[in-house]
């Protein structure tokens, strides 16, 4: 098996806020005890509701945010401290795609200049060659040279996201973190951008951490999927296996809500409020919404354990027993 490109071990991020009558300081664990690996050319999808810690995780993996606990390595080396010379150098191999392409682009510059910019900064080639490479990259993501002369506000949302992608690829990265890259787009455009990412990944051998609240989108692009709830992974496994047989009750609810051809499953509607990271329930954080919660779930947090060769699950009802899982009924 190919060695991993990205390895995160025991990541935690704690934000401090003040609560109560006397404004006591409390620590909110936005991400807690998360470990992951991504091999070259592989996509790990991370899915979860808003506030589950997905974006914070993505920023820590890329070194944009410093973890309070744990570590991240890229190609076997620790990710350097943010804004150090080594970090700037490593950023050419690791890029991020955000949800809002307009916010990621400079409204005052034609998009071709923004696509060319990484070459202007990092490479000493002649301007004509840099320009030519930028045009080729625009064409690679489905845009014309004429569209390159336009300003961001003159393009559609899908076209703008293609520009952001072209710019990210100019430095020939090995790894992309895509944080809700299609959430702001129409459904038909979402599919086009996801298909483009799949093509580019196959062509360029990119590894990706693909973050979304939408399991349907994550499923399209990911070889493996991690399901995140209130800062922790609750299930992780091969995408097809996880869809065919979700083991954690939260994953089962998500899968039941994601339409899939050929699969008929009764929709599981979760009760209760979406999670608030500042008010983490005791025991299993999912227990207030879990249809299978038992007394033990209210006091004891389940650990994420391997239940077979590729699957890890955090649920008291899914425990490895001599190599087999006792699955939630
Ligand atoms: Fe539900 Fe208990 Fe499993 Fe948590 S540990 S998901 S509450 S059954």
């Amino acid at each position: 098996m190919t060695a991993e490109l990205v390895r995160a071990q025991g990541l935690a991020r704690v934000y401090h806020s003040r609560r109560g009558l006397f404004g006591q300081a409390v620590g909110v664990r936005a991400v807690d005890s998360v470990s992951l690996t991504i091999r070259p050319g592989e996509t790990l999808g991370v899915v979860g509701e808003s506030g589950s810690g997905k974006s914070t995780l993505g920023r820590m993996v890329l070194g944009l945010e410093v973890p309070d606990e744990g570590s991240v390595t890229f190609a076997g080396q620790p990710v350097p401290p943010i804004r150090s010379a080594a970090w700037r150098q490593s950023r050419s191999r690791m890029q991020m795609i955000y949800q809002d392409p307009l916010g990621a682009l400079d409204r005052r510059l034609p998009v071709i200049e923004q696509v060319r910019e990484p070459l202007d900064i990092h490479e000493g080639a002649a301007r004509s060659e840099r320009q030519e490479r930028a045009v080729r990259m625009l064409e690679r993501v489905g845009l014309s040279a004429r569209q390159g002369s336009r300003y961001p506000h003159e393009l559609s949302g899908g076209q703008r996201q293609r520009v952001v992608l072209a710019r990210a690829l100019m430095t020939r990265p090995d790894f992309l973190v895509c944080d809700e890259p299609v959430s702001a787009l129409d459904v038909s455009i979402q599919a086009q951008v996801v298909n483009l990412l799949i093509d580019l990944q196959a062509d360029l051998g990119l590894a990706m951490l693909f973050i979304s609240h939408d399991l349907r989108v994550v499923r399209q692009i990911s070889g493996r999927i991690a399901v995140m709830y209130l800062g922790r992974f609750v299930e992780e496994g091969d995408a097809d296996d996880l869809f065919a047989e979700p083991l954690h009750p939260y994953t089962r609810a998500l899968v039941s809500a994601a339409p899939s051809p050929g699969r008929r499953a009764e929709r599981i509607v979760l009760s209760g409020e979406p999670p608030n990271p500042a008010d983490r329930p005791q025991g299993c954080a999912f227990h207030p919404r879990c249809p299978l919660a038992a007394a033990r779930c209210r006091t004891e947090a389940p650990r994420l354990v391997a239940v077979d060769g590729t699957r890890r699950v955090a649920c008291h009802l899914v425990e490895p027993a001599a190599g087999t899982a006792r699955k939630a009924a």
Side-chain angles (χ1 to χ4, degrees), residues 248-249 284 286-287 290 292-293 297 302 315-317:
H248 191 283
C284 174
F286 186 59
H287 86 254
C290 181
L292 303 174
C297 305
C315 173
H316 293 311
L317 296 184

Side-chain angles (χ1 to χ4, degrees), residues 42-45 215-227 235-247 251 255 260-261 263 308 310-311:
E42 180 186 41
T43 297
L44 172 66
L215 185 57
R216 187 183 48 86
V217 174
V218 168
R219 205 263 163 110
Q220 267 181 283
I221 198 166
S222 308
R224 277 189 302 131
I225 294 176
V227 179
E235 181 160 4
E236 183 198 352
D238 174 88
D240 290 338
D241 294 347
L242 187 136
F243 249 78
E245 191 180 20
L247 297 178
T251 315
V255 169
S260 175
R263 181 175 54 78
D308 59 30
T310 59
R311 195 90 66 106

Side-chain angles (χ1 to χ4, degrees), residues 11 13 15 30-31 53-67 72 79 82 87 91 94 96 98 177 179 209 211:
L11 288 185
R13 185 76 176 101
Y15 297 119
V31 173
K54 312 180 295 296
S55 297
T56 304
L57 173 64
R59 288 197 299 274
M60 284 195 290
V61 168
L62 215 50
L64 294 169
E65 208 160 318
V66 179
V72 184
V79 171
I82 187 169
W87 180 78
R91 280 307 305 279
M94 303 191 291
M96 184 136 187
Y98 294 96
V177 174
D179 187 1
L209 180 66
I211 294 167

